[in-house]
């Protein structure tokens, strides 16, 4: 039995969906992409070209929902289906699009560059708790025109796992699809065996920008999975009530799904998001707040009621370093996401409201993820009796159970064994090992991973083709050479 967290009952879910349909009529959805407005108009929506407000009737949305796949897979470099979107599968990937990196020596947040992203990729590649890679940070040592596709380029060179990524413009999404097609062996193979899912964000409240809607259309026609990342901010860019924000989220996702399916029915799309409450004291968006996690859990319930694959941003923190707050907020978020049965949970490694990434936090978050994954496995029956058979021959001594063969057979199935980042030693043992705190142990673990990492063996012809493709785009962006990459010779 898989334990589940449910914050909404069926009646409340029905009310949320009903009001979301009402919002798509009044006030309507602002759609700033002309092609998307045309698709909606041809389907029967009422379009005001002057204001770009589109009123989308329920029947158009229902027709779109009929064609959305309830399940799909992401494939690794070798073509194996390794990430499942759909049902109650629970998987994790690092948070993405950070602009700074935590310096483990100075504890300063420094501007992220190529070497930083490579370190993050290597760590995430080596930890089994991360089912997919993300394009975790923006590298500021390449031109802005390359920021999105260059991240994907590095992940493709240093990882064999599936990828959660996203484009920053309507032009670069085409380039990124072409990059993935090189390794897939063509666009048809990419459609059949997608390696990446692309995050696409509406703009709160109730806006699909030219860029966001354009990305949906392009991805749908390419057959590359799209992941809607709706971002209501409760009290600022959405209603202050959690349920009001969940309802706005539903309206934004339903309208996006409609645009997407009108562009190409049957293409895979995910009901996802990165909402937050708005902190009225500091003016921030606390992704580690429990109310943020409650919005995520609730909107995932709504998506699941529609039979849709789900995603959420959880496991992040507002803490600036790896301290008690970072562990508390990240662990609670990961556990809530897992118990909610969310298919892909992004956010690990992130500090400072998704601004900063940290390899050291990735390894500590991996331990929290492992605990959440153990919780999701629930209580299992391993023996014919629950307890009585264990007492045969017991002489009321505390150590008798250690002598039983069944103890050795079953303890690893019942107990998760954490890595060395987690301290379970005695006080004496802790002192003898250096009296280190979690951050110190995490730094050691990161260095161990980096020392043992080996880059995946890639097809040299495809690797050279990818390098030539990206280098051509780099030269058009104004640079003759890409930053020197570790473990690689230029093609």
């Amino acid at each position: 039995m898989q334990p589940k967290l449910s914050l909404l009952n069926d009646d409340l879910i029905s009310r949320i969906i009903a009001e979301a349909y009402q919002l798509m009529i009044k006030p309507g959805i602002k759609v700033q992409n002309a092609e998307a407005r045309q698709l909606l108009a041809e389907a029967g929506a009422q379009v005001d070209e002057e204001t770009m407000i589109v009123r989308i009737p329920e029947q158009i949305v229902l027709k779109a929902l009929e064609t959305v796949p309830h399940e799909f897979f992401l494939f690794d470099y070798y073509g194996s289906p390794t990430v499942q979107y759909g049902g109650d599968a629970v998987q994790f990937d690092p948070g993405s699009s950070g602009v700074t990196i935590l310096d483990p020596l100075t504890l300063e947040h420094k501007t992220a560059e190529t070497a930083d992203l490579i370190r993050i990729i290597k760590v995430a590649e080596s930890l089994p708790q991360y089912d997919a890679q993300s394009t975790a940070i923006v590298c500021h040592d390449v031109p802005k025109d390359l920021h999105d596709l260059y991240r994907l380029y590095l992940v493709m060179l240093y990882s064999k796992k599936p990828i959660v990524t996203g484009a920053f413009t309507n032009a670069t999404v085409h380039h990124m699809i072409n990059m993935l097609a090189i390794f897939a062996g063509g666009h048809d193979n990419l459609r059949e065996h997608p390696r990446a899912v692309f995050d696409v964000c509406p703009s709160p409240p109730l806006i699909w920008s030219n860029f966001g809607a354009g990305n949906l259309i392009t991805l749908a026609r390419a057959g590359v999975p799209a992941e809607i990342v709706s971002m209501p901010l409760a009290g600022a860019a959405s209603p202050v009530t959690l349920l009001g924000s969940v309802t706005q989220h539903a309206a934004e996702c339903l309208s996006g799904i409609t645009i997407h399916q009108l562009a190409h029915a049957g293409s895979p799309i995910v009901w996802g998001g990165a909402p937050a409450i708005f902190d009225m004291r500091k003016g921030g968006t606390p992704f580690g707040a429990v109310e943020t996690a409650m919005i995520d859990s609730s909107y995932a319930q709504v998506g699941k009621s529609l039979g849709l694959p789900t995603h959420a941003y959880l496991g992040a923190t507002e803490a600036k370093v790896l301290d008690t707050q970072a562990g508390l907020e990240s662990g609670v978020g990961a556990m809530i996401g897992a118990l909610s049965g969310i298919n892909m949970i992004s956010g690990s490694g992130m500090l400072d409201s998704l601004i900063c990434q940290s390899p050291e936090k990735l390894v500590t978050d991996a331990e929290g993820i492992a605990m959440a994954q153990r919780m999701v496995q629930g209580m299992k029956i391993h023996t014919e009796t629950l307890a009585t058979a264990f007492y045969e021959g017991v002489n009321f001594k505390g150590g008798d159970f250690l002598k039983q063969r069944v103890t050795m057979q079953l303890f690893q199935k019942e107990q998760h064994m954490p890595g060395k980042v987690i301290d379970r030693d005695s006080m004496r043992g802790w002192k003898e090992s250096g009296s280190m705190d979690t951050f110190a142990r995490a730094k050691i673990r990161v260095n161990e991973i980096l020392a043992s990492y080996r880059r995946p063996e890639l097809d040299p012809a495809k690797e050279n083709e990818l390098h030539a493709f990206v280098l051509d785009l780099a030269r058009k962006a104004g640079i003759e050479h890409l930053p020197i990459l570790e473990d690689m010779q230029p093609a």
Side-chain angles (χ1 to χ4, degrees), residues 28-32 200-213 228-233 237-238 248 252-253 255:
I29 305 294
K30 188 165 188 174
V31 181
Q32 297 175 322
V200 185
C201 305
S203 303
L206 304 176
I207 300 171
W208 277 101
S209 68
N210 178 52
F211 154 63
I228 296 179
V229 181
S230 171
M231 302 180 293
L233 301 178
S238 66
Q248 178 176 306
E252 290 174 352
C253 285
S255 57

Side-chain angles (χ1 to χ4, degrees), residues 67-76 80-91 132 162-165 190-199 219-220 223-228 257 260-261 266-272 307-311 343-344:
T67 60
V68 177
H70 290 185
E71 179 184 85
F72 68 89
F73 288 84
L74 294 183
F75 295 75
D76 64 15
S80 299
T82 53
V83 165
Q84 176 186 344
Y85 275 91
D88 288 324
V90 174
Q91 294 130 139
I163 307 165
V164 180
T165 188
L190 179 62
R191 181 184 294 272
E192 294 298 319
H193 299 91
R195 186 178 173 192
V197 60
F198 280 68
D199 290 343
L219 292 165
V224 174
E227 190 163 75
I228 296 179
I257 288 171
H260 181 265
Q261 294 297 293
S267 283
I269 191 165
V270 181
W271 184 277
L308 300 174
T310 55
H311 158 274
N343 298 145
M344 183 61 74

Side-chain angles (χ1 to χ4, degrees), residues 101-221:
I101 191 86
L102 176 68
D103 188 313
L105 299 178
T106 67
L107 301 185
E108 294 292 325
H109 293 194
K110 69 181 189 70
T111 302
E113 296 185 347
T114 296
D116 301 310
L117 180 52
I118 292 173
R119 288 180 74 236
I120 291 170
I121 296 167
K122 289 179 177 180
V123 170
E125 188 72 4
S126 304
L127 294 171
Q129 290 88 345
Y130 297 111
D131 305 275
Q133 289 276 0
S134 72
T135 42
I137 55 175
V138 176
C139 302
H140 290 80
D141 51 348
V142 297
K144 186 176 180 180
D145 289 349
L146 301 179
H147 277 177
D148 49 2
L149 64 90
Y150 183 68
R151 302 179 305 160
L152 177 61
Y153 170 65
L154 293 182
V155 176
M156 292 176 69
L157 292 178
Y158 284 89
S159 172
K160 61 181 183 294
K161 292 184 178 182
I163 307 165
V164 180
T165 188
F168 294 164
T169 71
N170 281 330
T172 49
V173 69
H174 290 279
H175 298 320
M176 295 170 75
I177 291 171
N178 288 335
M179 290 164 60
L180 291 164
I182 289 172
F183 273 19
H187 286 271
D188 289 341
N189 286 339
L190 179 62
R191 181 184 294 272
E192 294 298 319
H193 299 91
R195 186 178 173 192
V197 60
F198 280 68
D199 290 343
V200 185
C201 305
S203 303
L206 304 176
I207 300 171
W208 277 101
S209 68
N210 178 52
F211 154 63
N215 264 220
L216 286 179
I217 293 169
T218 299
L219 292 165
R221 290 174 177 164

Side-chain angles (χ1 to χ4, degrees), residues 377-449:
Q377 292 175 16
M379 305 293 281
K380 296 183 178 180
I381 298 174
H382 294 287
T383 54
E384 186 174 344
T385 67
L386 299 181
T388 53
F390 288 85
Y391 292 88
E392 293 179 8
V394 169
N395 295 316
F396 298 95
K397 295 179 180 179
D400 277 1
F401 296 104
L402 285 172
K403 301 174 185 177
Q404 294 177 351
R405 180 177 298 178
V406 70
T407 298
M408 297 305 295
Q409 293 172 340
L410 293 180
F411 84 93
Q412 292 191 51
K413 294 181 179 179
E414 285 287 77
Q415 300 177 18
H416 162 66
M417 297 295 171
K420 291 183 288 186
V421 173
I422 300 299
D423 171 46
R424 287 186 175 178
D425 210 339
S426 64
M427 175 62 78
R428 179 180 177 180
W430 178 70
K431 287 183 176 180
E432 289 177 350
S433 63
S435 304
M436 291 182 289
D437 62 13
T438 305
F439 186 39
R441 293 191 296 271
K443 288 192 285 187
I444 292 173
R445 179 67 180 128
V446 168
N447 289 334
E448 290 174 350
I449 289 173

